[in-house]
Amino acid sequence: MKTYLFLLIAVAFETFGSSCLQASQQFTKLWPSLGVLVGFAGAFYFFTLVLKVLPLGITYALWSGIGIILITLSGRVIFGQRLDLPAMLGLGLIIAGILVINLFSKAQAH
């Protein structure tokens, strides 16, 4: 269970770093630029902890799927970015993929 907590922390750091990347305006703003460094450093640190337990492919699939959803929510809330129907359907497919991996895959350690 600690492994999944570390994964969520890694994704939270990555979401923070990606949001700061948008806010940094191509690294022209100091504080968001520093946020990018902190966000991605934290993300990769916790990602390495998860890799001690889960296989790389499974970890990256979960990291990517959860990260896409969180960064999409961040884009909506912080930057006012809207999604159209095809984008929402695509995100639904990502969520479905995460559920299939977690509920049915024998490739990951539980």
Side-chain angles (χ1 to χ4, degrees):
M1 190 53 100
K2 184 169 73 171
T3 301
Y4 288 100
L5 176 62
F6 287 163
L7 179 61
L8 291 176
I9 292 170
V11 173
F13 269 109
E14 189 269 336
T15 301
F16 174 74
S18 294
S19 297
C20 287
L21 189 60
Q22 172 85 33
S24 75
Q25 297 179 3
Q26 293 74 41
F27 298 106
T28 60
K29 298 195 178 271
L30 176 63
W31 293 111
S33 297
L34 293 175
V36 171
L37 296 175
V38 169
F40 286 109
F44 288 123
Y45 171 75
F46 282 98
F47 189 75
T48 62
L49 298 179
V50 176
L51 289 175
K52 290 180 179 180
V53 177
L54 296 179
L56 176 62
I58 299 299
T59 302
Y60 197 76
L62 294 172
W63 157 290
S64 299
I66 297 167
I68 288 169
I69 292 165
L70 289 181
I71 200 62
T72 300
L73 291 172
S74 172
R76 173 72 175 126
V77 171
I78 298 170
F79 303 107
Q81 299 168 345
R82 295 184 171 267
L83 297 177
D84 59 8
L85 182 59
M88 289 188 290
L89 291 173
L91 288 174
L93 291 171
I94 291 168
I95 293 168
I98 292 169
L99 291 173
V100 167
I101 289 169
N102 280 293
L103 296 175
F104 303 110
S105 175
K106 303 284 190 249
Q108 69 173 340
H110 287 286

